[in-house]
Amino acid sequence: MSALGAVEAAGPGAGHGGSLFRPLSAEDGEQQPAEIESLCMNCFRNGVTRLLLTRIPFFKEIIVSSFSCDSCSWSNTEIQSAGRIQEQGVRYTLAVTSRQDMNREVVKTDCASARIPELDFEIPAFSQKGVLTTIEGIIDRAVAGLEQDQPARRVTDEEVARKIDEFVGKLRQLKEVNSPFTFILDDPSGNSFVENPHAPQRDEALVVARYRRSPQQSALLGLEGQEEDAKPPDAAEDLRDEVLQFNTNCPECNAPASTNMKLVQIPHFKEVIIMATNCDSCGHRTNEVKSGGAIEPQGTRITLRITDPSDMTRDILKSETCSVEIPELEFELGMGALGGKFTTLEGLLKDIRDLVEKNPFTLGDSSTPGRTGKLQEFIGKLQDIIEGKAQAHFIMDDPAGNSYLQNVYAPEEDPELRVQRYERSFEQNEELGLNDMRTEGYEPEAASGR
């Protein structure tokens, strides 16, 4: 009987006080295994399976099962993950430098492989059952497996047996940690684990990397593999028609949230990346726009003369490096304010209005009658522009050249829209970090400097 099947047979009573999984602790006296009578696959008589449903700190729940048969003395132990296959595989790389490292707890599932590069040694996936052990225990288990058929080998092939004995000796020397070595545990299912004794702090000797499974690894796990031939040659073309979603944490409440990302081609301009985050816990929402290309060789200054209410429907892309100016209102919005935006002219002007209205110096005890009156007058004039009751000039100045204002007459010229390209000043290049950035001609100079 499998461990999961035995758990179902044991029912809810296998747990303690309504909690099936208890923390892994040798001091927990209440942590008693459940015993189920099951069939021995060696002598086909009844034996006993003991199940321990436990939770490993800073990891997850696992099922530790141990079978023993009193009739033929056959025994077997293994572990199974109590959860599902994870979305990504995991690779643990541990630098073993002391005897204490040999005592680290290790959860190795049956689909995980273990490697020691210094000896060119590998335990392939699916060659062993899952086990809850230590680094030393994995080495001992490998030694026992190699020595299992040595008596027969010494008779049939003495040379092979001699080489295996030499290799077993090297494995046993590793246990003394006379010199550092590297232990790598790679699990495509993401359910293996190497203990971090410093948790929740970072362990400098342990590197944990998560990766996307290959189609071959997904097939070995019994998952529906993605056919390599099914992907079109132009992956970027496919991304334009797809909304990507990845998990993140809410910047307000730190609860798990999801971020949607979409690659959008703006006509007569370039590609941009739009990202939107929505938190179901606190309702926080953010959206952000990033340029899909590099910084342009020249800066861009876009001037629009607003003469008609229909101008409010023009699409606008304001990058993080773009400043906004409305001369008629003596208003200027600096670089970085409001972040990146992909909206309409009306939407951007309303964001500016909301930014001014929520200014903390105009609210409560911080406000003065004169200042509040001027801001209310400014908001009124801005509202007239939004409603099309007043004409004004709207100026966008982006030193990076990654901002855009829609030309409704494209591909013809727009009589109300003027786009100017200019050479950036030293100060503007300094703000963009370009003065110290060299992408060409640095290699010979670096070589001569050495």
Side-chain angles (χ1 to χ4, degrees), residues 69-90:
C69 177
D70 294 335
S71 301
C72 65
S73 300
W74 188 74
S75 63
N76 180 40
T77 60
E78 64 178 280
I79 70 160
Q80 291 186 14
S81 172
R84 59 181 179 83
I85 294 176
Q86 303 304 304
E87 294 182 1
Q88 292 180 311
V90 65

Side-chain angles (χ1 to χ4, degrees), residues 249-399:
N249 287 341
C250 173
E252 293 292 329
C253 66
N254 204 35
S258 60
T259 296
N260 295 328
M261 184 174 71
K262 180 78 163 62
L263 189 66
V264 177
Q265 174 68 49
I266 298 179
H268 309 289
F269 188 53
K270 61 173 68 174
E271 287 182 338
V272 297
I273 300 171
I274 301 177
M275 293 185 290
T277 302
N278 182 24
C279 178
D280 295 332
S281 299
C282 67
H284 178 73
R285 293 186 179 186
T286 60
N287 62 77
E288 192 174 1
V289 177
K290 297 286 187 182
S291 172
I295 294 176
E296 295 294 316
Q298 293 179 309
T300 304
R301 183 180 175 89
I302 305 173
T303 304
L304 172 68
R305 184 168 174 263
I306 302 174
T307 59
D308 191 86
S310 62
D311 288 329
M312 293 293 111
T313 62
R314 292 178 186 247
D315 290 333
I316 188 170
L317 170 64
K318 176 195 170 297
S319 74
E320 294 178 338
T321 57
C322 179
S323 61
V324 174
E325 184 180 354
I326 304 176
E328 287 79 3
L329 302 183
E330 298 182 355
F331 172 78
E332 184 173 353
L333 185 70
M335 246 196 289
L338 293 179
K341 291 279 185 180
F342 182 47
T343 178
T344 61
L345 180 57
E346 180 182 9
L348 183 59
L349 291 177
K350 286 184 176 179
D351 286 340
I352 293 174
R353 182 193 62 191
D354 294 341
L355 183 66
V356 174
E357 284 182 337
K358 295 177 181 178
N359 188 328
F361 295 103
T362 65
L363 304 173
D365 297 338
S366 299
S367 63
T368 60
R371 182 182 297 173
T372 303
K374 288 181 179 179
L375 287 175
Q376 291 300 324
E377 181 183 355
F378 170 83
I379 292 173
K381 292 180 179 180
L382 184 61
Q383 186 63 34
D384 289 341
I385 295 175
I386 294 174
E387 295 174 358
K389 298 177 182 178
Q391 296 185 0
H393 288 82
F394 181 83
I395 303 173
M396 300 172 62
D397 192 338
D398 187 357

Side-chain angles (χ1 to χ4, degrees), residues 104-234:
R104 292 184 185 230
E105 289 180 351
V106 175
V107 175
K108 179 184 175 297
T109 65
D110 53 357
C111 56
S113 63
R115 289 192 296 122
I116 301 176
E118 286 79 359
L119 295 184
D120 197 19
F121 172 71
E122 179 175 3
I123 302 174
F126 300 103
S127 62
Q128 295 179 348
K129 291 289 187 180
V131 64
L132 171 61
T133 180
T134 61
I135 303 288
E136 184 175 6
I138 287 181
I139 295 177
D140 286 339
R141 198 174 187 189
V143 169
L146 291 171
E147 290 183 332
Q148 184 174 2
D149 297 325
Q150 278 296 83
R153 286 195 196 99
R154 292 188 180 99
V155 175
T156 59
D157 196 333
E158 187 176 350
E159 180 65 19
V160 173
R162 182 183 62 80
K163 291 181 179 180
I164 291 178
D165 285 336
E166 291 178 0
F167 191 80
V168 167
K170 293 179 181 179
L171 284 176
R172 285 178 171 153
Q173 288 178 1
L174 287 182
K175 294 166 56 177
E176 303 301 324
V177 198
N178 294 323
S179 60
F181 66 92
T182 306
F183 176 79
I184 301 175
L185 185 66
D186 193 331
D187 187 356
S189 74
N191 286 324
S192 291
F193 171 74
V194 176
E195 179 191 9
N196 173 8
H198 309 290
Q201 282 77 32
R202 180 182 176 184
D203 186 349
E204 297 295 336
L206 182 64
V207 177
V208 183
R210 303 197 179 273
Y211 60 88
R212 186 177 179 180
R213 282 184 291 269
S214 66
Q216 293 82 3
Q217 290 173 325
S218 297
L220 287 174
L221 295 175
L223 302 176
E224 183 179 357
Q226 298 179 353
E227 296 294 334
E228 295 183 2
D229 298 336
K231 183 175 286 189
D234 189 0

Side-chain angles (χ1 to χ4, degrees), residues 416-433:
E416 306 298 340
L417 184 68
R418 186 170 77 256
V419 180
Q420 299 171 286
R421 305 282 180 184
Y422 63 87
E423 295 295 331
R424 286 185 288 267
S425 65
F426 180 86
E427 289 75 14
Q428 288 173 326
N429 282 330
E430 188 70 21
E431 289 183 354
L432 296 175

